Amino acid sequence: DYVRPFKKQSKLEAGFKWSKVKTDNDAKFFDVSNGTRIVDASKTNQFLYEEENFATYVNYAKQWKQWNVQLGLRAERTSLYTYQAIGNVAFDSSYLQLFPSAFVNRQIGKQKTIGFSISRRIDRPSYNQLNPFLFLIDVTTYATGNPNLLPQFTWNYEVNYNTPKLNATLTYSKTNKVLNTAIVRFKDAFPNLPSDDNVTVQLPINISTTNYVGLTLSSPLKVKPWWSILNNANIFYSKFNGQLAGTRLNDGRAAVNLNSTNNFTLKKGWSMEVSGNFNSGGRSGFMVVRSVWSANFGIQKQVLNNKGTLRLNVTDIFWTNRPGGTITYNNY
């Protein structure tokens, strides 16, 4: 990384990064139910993965009067190779992508700022998501990776307004090749492997596009000198477009996430925290997620002349934070 300051509160930054990863995952499964070790060919597999990334960037920042501006550009070139022993499947690819960004902030009053930003981002799948091994979760559920999984690309636009009592951010984003986790019937994912009709598999997929618009609000309150509250709200709408298991997805839902944390500073070294969360659910790819809520409590006491702390925390007091959802396909 290189930083060059200039006069009049401006500077130039530039740099590059190179990384290379090689993995060799060799998983062997055996059936020993008859007293002898027999290779289970339906689950035994070997997966080779090789990835090389080269990135370079340049940023220019300038500040004058009430304005603060930063412009940037990052270029990334990725080369990757995968090989799956079962089926003798190989994949070789390389691509070059550009990621511009711009941030503009203006001081509009005492402790008040307004800003705008635009940026293009990349999120790569993890190595576990790319690994095609089958893992048994229970008698009717498997999990697997997807070696053909692609990174997702997002254009993100934000307007933010900040004061000591309120932080607000309005966001719109569009993501292509969205990374998402789906649950499908095993026969649809692996038609050549025998399975019962009620067996499913959890696997990562790329959904064509997602459009997201959301408003995030954060408001700290000082009710009393000994009582402070931090309230957060995220109101958003997500719409997904894609296709899986013979089903076309073109749907979206509005949702809201609420959180309130109350902190109490009591006498004689005692303090307490009470918090609550609510998630209205919504849509996550092919899954419609149900609503959940939870309440949490914590109390602590300073001891040994404030050199030690005794703490008790209870999370999800009423055991209500049990997430779930429903996936519906055309054929089941």
Side-chain angles (χ1 to χ4, degrees):
D1 294 290
Y2 172 78
V3 180
R4 173 66 186 272
F6 295 109
K7 297 180 180 179
K8 299 181 179 180
Q9 293 183 300
S10 64
K11 66 177 180 179
L12 182 71
E13 297 180 64
F16 71 90
K17 177 182 178 179
W18 174 82
S19 67
K20 187 171 184 177
V21 175
K22 295 179 68 176
T23 68
D24 181 354
N25 292 287
D26 192 3
K28 292 180 171 62
F29 286 80
F30 300 91
D31 184 348
V32 295
S33 58
N34 293 322
T36 58
R37 287 167 58 95
I38 302 174
V39 175
D40 187 343
S42 65
K43 301 178 184 65
T44 293
N45 203 347
Q46 185 177 15
F47 181 63
L48 305 177
Y49 182 85
E50 185 173 332
E51 177 186 274
E52 185 177 35
N53 292 313
F54 181 85
T56 183
Y57 78 95
V58 58
N59 287 336
Y60 177 75
K62 182 173 177 57
Q63 183 175 350
W64 73 96
K65 295 183 179 179
Q66 294 88 10
W67 292 89
N68 191 324
V69 177
Q70 179 176 306
L71 304 175
L73 179 65
R74 189 174 83 256
E76 290 191 15
R77 186 184 186 282
T78 300
S79 299
L80 60 89
Y81 168 80
T82 67
Y83 174 75
Q84 184 179 345
I86 297 298
N88 192 27
V89 180
F91 179 76
D92 194 354
S93 176
S94 64
Y95 53 88
L96 175 66
Q97 294 285 339
L98 298 177
F99 301 96
S101 62
F103 302 85
V104 180
N105 293 285
R106 188 179 191 276
Q107 195 87 20
I108 58 175
K110 187 177 181 181
Q111 294 184 310
K112 294 182 181 180
T113 61
I114 188 170
F116 171 78
S117 68
I118 177 175
S119 61
R120 186 172 187 251
R121 305 172 181 173
I122 182 173
D123 294 288
R124 305 179 190 276
S126 67
Y127 300 123
N128 285 339
Q129 289 177 308
L130 293 163
N131 195 327
F133 296 169
L134 275 171
F135 295 96
L136 182 67
I137 297 177
D138 55 47
V139 292
T140 61
T141 312
Y142 285 88
T144 187
N146 181 1
N148 297 317
L149 208 59
L150 300 172
Q152 67 177 26
F153 297 92
T154 302
W155 277 102
N156 190 77
Y157 308 84
E158 286 189 358
V159 177
N160 59 76
Y161 174 73
N162 299 307
T163 72
K165 294 185 178 181
L166 176 67
N167 297 318
T169 302
L170 180 63
T171 303
Y172 169 76
S173 66
K174 182 176 181 180
T175 304
N176 294 310
K177 301 182 179 68
V178 184
L179 293 170
N180 191 258
T181 299
I183 300 174
V184 299
R185 194 163 53 174
F186 193 93
K187 288 184 175 181
D188 290 337
F190 302 98
N192 297 324
L193 297 179
S195 69
D196 295 328
D197 288 337
N198 66 333
V199 178
T200 60
V201 61
Q202 175 181 296
L203 76 164
I205 61 171
N206 287 113
I207 295 178
S208 298
T209 60
T210 296
N211 288 277
Y212 170 94
V213 59
L215 175 64
T216 301
L217 302 171
S218 177
S219 177
L221 300 176
K222 194 75 171 179
V223 183
K224 298 287 184 179
W226 48 269
W227 180 13
S228 61
I229 306 175
L230 178 60
N231 297 310
N232 295 285
N234 185 19
I235 307 162
F236 62 95
Y237 175 84
S238 296
K239 184 176 182 180
F240 296 84
N241 188 289
Q243 188 165 341
L244 181 66
T247 302
R248 181 69 184 174
L249 173 64
N250 186 20
D251 195 9
R253 290 202 177 196
V256 59
N257 296 331
L258 304 175
N259 174 267
S260 180
T261 302
N262 295 257
N263 287 286
F264 304 90
T265 303
L266 308 176
K267 296 179 179 180
K268 298 182 179 180
W270 287 91
S271 59
M272 184 171 63
E273 180 178 290
V274 180
S275 66
N277 306 279
F278 172 74
N279 186 330
S280 68
R283 176 168 287 279
S284 177
F286 285 86
M287 178 178 289
V288 177
V289 183
R290 73 185 182 195
S291 62
V292 294
W293 66 277
S294 67
N296 313 292
F297 172 81
I299 190 169
Q300 71 176 31
K301 172 76 166 68
Q302 298 292 329
V303 295
L304 303 175
N305 294 323
N306 295 329
K307 294 180 180 179
T309 303
L310 295 175
R311 181 181 296 116
L312 171 68
N313 292 313
V314 183
T315 302
D316 193 16
I317 298 172
F318 304 104
W319 197 42
T320 52
N321 189 19
R322 293 180 286 170
T326 303
I327 302 175
T328 305
Y329 298 108
N330 288 340
N331 58 342
Y332 64 101

